[in-house]
Amino acid sequence: MLHLHTVQDAARARQLLGDDPSRTRVTLLGAGFIGAETASHLADLGAVVHLVSQPALPMAPALGHEVARRVADLHQAHVHAHFGRTLVDLSVDSDTVTVTLDDGTQLESDIALVAYGTVPSSRWQRSALPMRRKRFQVLSPI
């Protein structure tokens, strides 16, 4: 099990995937920006990904209901999404991590990544880009 908070954590996760990510099962706990993007990337590499989110509609407070629904639908199309679920148990043996969810589902994985409370680092933006608050309107759906 590995927490995903820094670039170093991401590098360590990449090492754990080995030479052939398509042979790896990953459970990702947390479906915010970092967790969701990591799940998509791992799925694109061929890993079997379980994405677990406590909220039934991840990222709705940040994105709004309509955009969050679209993002959730995209994830459900290419990862095993477990939205509206809570972790109740996690056990680790020599080569498997088993995550048990509140509905009794057991997810067996090679790697478990925890992305709860992880936020993108944007310090570099404050010094590199002028930041202004603006209102915006979505002109077309994603």
Side-chain angles (χ1 to χ4, degrees), residues 43-114:
D44 287 347
L45 292 175
V48 174
V49 179
H50 293 276
L51 181 60
V52 179
S53 170
Q54 291 175 346
L57 186 58
M59 297 192 285
L63 299 177
H65 185 82
E66 187 175 330
V67 174
R69 168 58 37 217
R70 178 71 176 127
V71 171
D73 290 345
L74 289 169
H75 278 101
Q76 289 172 328
H78 71 281
V79 302
H80 300 280
H82 305 274
F83 296 159
R85 301 275 54 106
T86 303
L87 170 76
V88 295
D89 188 51
L90 186 138
S91 61
V92 180
D93 65 26
S94 61
D95 61 349
T96 303
V97 178
T98 303
V99 170
T100 304
L101 303 177
D102 60 339
D103 65 352
T105 300
Q106 290 192 325
L107 310 173
E108 288 192 0
S109 300
D110 304 299
I111 303 169
L113 298 173
V114 180

Side-chain angles (χ1 to χ4, degrees), residues 1 7 12 17 21 23-24 35 41 46 53 57 65 67 80 82 86 93 102 105 116 119 123 125 130 136 138 141:
M1 186 170 85
V7 171
R12 175 74 177 125
L17 287 171
R23 302 177 128 219
T24 307
H41 178 68
S53 170
L57 186 58
H65 185 82
V67 174
H80 300 280
H82 305 274
T86 303
D93 65 26
D102 60 339
T105 300
Y116 290 143
V119 295
R123 274 184 296 212
Q125 291 176 337
F136 63 92
V138 176

